[in-house]
mmCIF file of all heavy atoms in Angstrom:
data_model
loop_
_atom_site.group_PDB
_atom_site.id
_atom_site.type_symbol
_atom_site.label_atom_id
_atom_site.label_comp_id
_atom_site.label_asym_id
_atom_site.label_seq_id
_atom_site.Cartn_x
_atom_site.Cartn_y
_atom_site.Cartn_z
ATOM 1 N N GLY Z 625 76.653 -241.838 71.013
ATOM 2 C CA GLY Z 625 77.909 -241.103 71.129
ATOM 3 C C GLY Z 625 78.470 -241.099 72.535
ATOM 4 O O GLY Z 625 79.102 -240.122 72.947
ATOM 5 N N GLY Z 626 78.248 -242.158 73.278
ATOM 6 C CA GLY Z 626 78.770 -242.252 74.629
ATOM 7 C C GLY Z 626 77.933 -241.543 75.672
ATOM 8 O O GLY Z 626 78.274 -241.566 76.855
ATOM 9 N N LYS Z 627 76.825 -240.916 75.284
ATOM 10 C CA LYS Z 627 75.981 -240.201 76.230
ATOM 11 C C LYS Z 627 74.648 -240.921 76.373
ATOM 12 O O LYS Z 627 74.102 -241.448 75.405
ATOM 13 C CB LYS Z 627 75.744 -238.767 75.750
ATOM 14 C CG LYS Z 627 76.998 -237.916 75.696
ATOM 15 C CD LYS Z 627 76.678 -236.501 75.246
ATOM 16 C CE LYS Z 627 77.945 -235.640 75.194
ATOM 17 N NZ LYS Z 627 77.649 -234.258 74.741
ATOM 18 N N LYS Z 628 74.125 -240.900 77.594
ATOM 19 C CA LYS Z 628 72.841 -241.523 77.856
ATOM 20 C C LYS Z 628 71.717 -240.667 77.302
ATOM 21 O O LYS Z 628 71.721 -239.449 77.446
ATOM 22 C CB LYS Z 628 72.629 -241.705 79.360
ATOM 23 C CG LYS Z 628 73.091 -243.036 79.910
ATOM 24 C CD LYS Z 628 72.614 -243.216 81.342
ATOM 25 C CE LYS Z 628 73.037 -244.580 81.882
ATOM 26 N NZ LYS Z 628 72.516 -244.809 83.243
ATOM 27 N N VAL Z 629 70.759 -241.323 76.650
ATOM 28 C CA VAL Z 629 69.562 -240.647 76.162
ATOM 29 C C VAL Z 629 68.355 -241.457 76.614
ATOM 30 O O VAL Z 629 68.478 -242.612 77.031
ATOM 31 C CB VAL Z 629 69.577 -240.504 74.619
ATOM 32 C CG1 VAL Z 629 70.708 -239.609 74.173
ATOM 33 C CG2 VAL Z 629 69.683 -241.870 73.954
ATOM 34 N N SER Z 630 67.191 -240.842 76.534
ATOM 35 C CA SER Z 630 65.981 -241.517 76.998
ATOM 36 C C SER Z 630 65.304 -242.315 75.898
ATOM 37 O O SER Z 630 64.532 -243.223 76.183
ATOM 38 C CB SER Z 630 64.997 -240.496 77.570
ATOM 39 O OG SER Z 630 64.658 -239.527 76.580
ATOM 40 N N THR Z 631 65.579 -242.018 74.653
ATOM 41 C CA THR Z 631 64.949 -242.727 73.550
ATOM 42 C C THR Z 631 65.870 -242.669 72.341
ATOM 43 O O THR Z 631 66.702 -241.750 72.222
ATOM 44 C CB THR Z 631 63.580 -242.106 73.211
ATOM 45 O OG1 THR Z 631 62.978 -242.827 72.127
ATOM 46 C CG2 THR Z 631 63.726 -240.650 72.827
ATOM 47 N N ALA Z 632 65.736 -243.628 71.466
ATOM 48 C CA ALA Z 632 66.584 -243.674 70.266
ATOM 49 C C ALA Z 632 65.974 -244.624 69.258
ATOM 50 O O ALA Z 632 65.051 -245.401 69.558
ATOM 51 C CB ALA Z 632 68.012 -244.100 70.616
ATOM 52 N N HIS Z 633 66.519 -244.551 68.067
ATOM 53 C CA HIS Z 633 66.106 -245.402 66.957
ATOM 54 C C HIS Z 633 67.118 -246.538 66.834
ATOM 55 O O HIS Z 633 68.327 -246.308 66.871
ATOM 56 C CB HIS Z 633 66.064 -244.567 65.672
ATOM 57 C CG HIS Z 633 65.714 -245.351 64.455
ATOM 58 N ND1 HIS Z 633 66.495 -245.388 63.326
ATOM 59 C CD2 HIS Z 633 64.659 -246.147 64.197
ATOM 60 C CE1 HIS Z 633 65.940 -246.170 62.421
ATOM 61 N NE2 HIS Z 633 64.810 -246.638 62.925
ATOM 62 N N ILE Z 634 66.645 -247.764 66.714
ATOM 63 C CA ILE Z 634 67.525 -248.936 66.656
ATOM 64 C C ILE Z 634 67.866 -249.224 65.199
ATOM 65 O O ILE Z 634 66.971 -249.449 64.378
ATOM 66 C CB ILE Z 634 66.864 -250.156 67.312
ATOM 67 C CG1 ILE Z 634 66.497 -249.839 68.762
ATOM 68 C CG2 ILE Z 634 67.788 -251.372 67.254
ATOM 69 C CD1 ILE Z 634 65.734 -250.955 69.450
ATOM 70 N N THR Z 635 69.147 -249.222 64.894
ATOM 71 C CA THR Z 635 69.614 -249.504 63.546
ATOM 72 C C THR Z 635 70.302 -250.856 63.515
ATOM 73 O O THR Z 635 70.481 -251.513 64.544
ATOM 74 C CB THR Z 635 70.591 -248.411 63.072
ATOM 75 O OG1 THR Z 635 71.812 -248.514 63.842
ATOM 76 C CG2 THR Z 635 70.000 -247.027 63.267
ATOM 77 N N SER Z 636 70.695 -251.267 62.325
ATOM 78 C CA SER Z 636 71.382 -252.550 62.197
ATOM 79 C C SER Z 636 72.759 -252.528 62.846
ATOM 80 O O SER Z 636 73.347 -253.577 63.094
ATOM 81 C CB SER Z 636 71.501 -252.937 60.723
ATOM 82 O OG SER Z 636 72.256 -251.962 60.020
#
Side-chain angles (χ1 to χ4, degrees):
K627 296 181 180 179
K628 268 190 178 183
V629 295
S630 59
T631 180
H633 177 235
I634 303 175
T635 69
S636 61

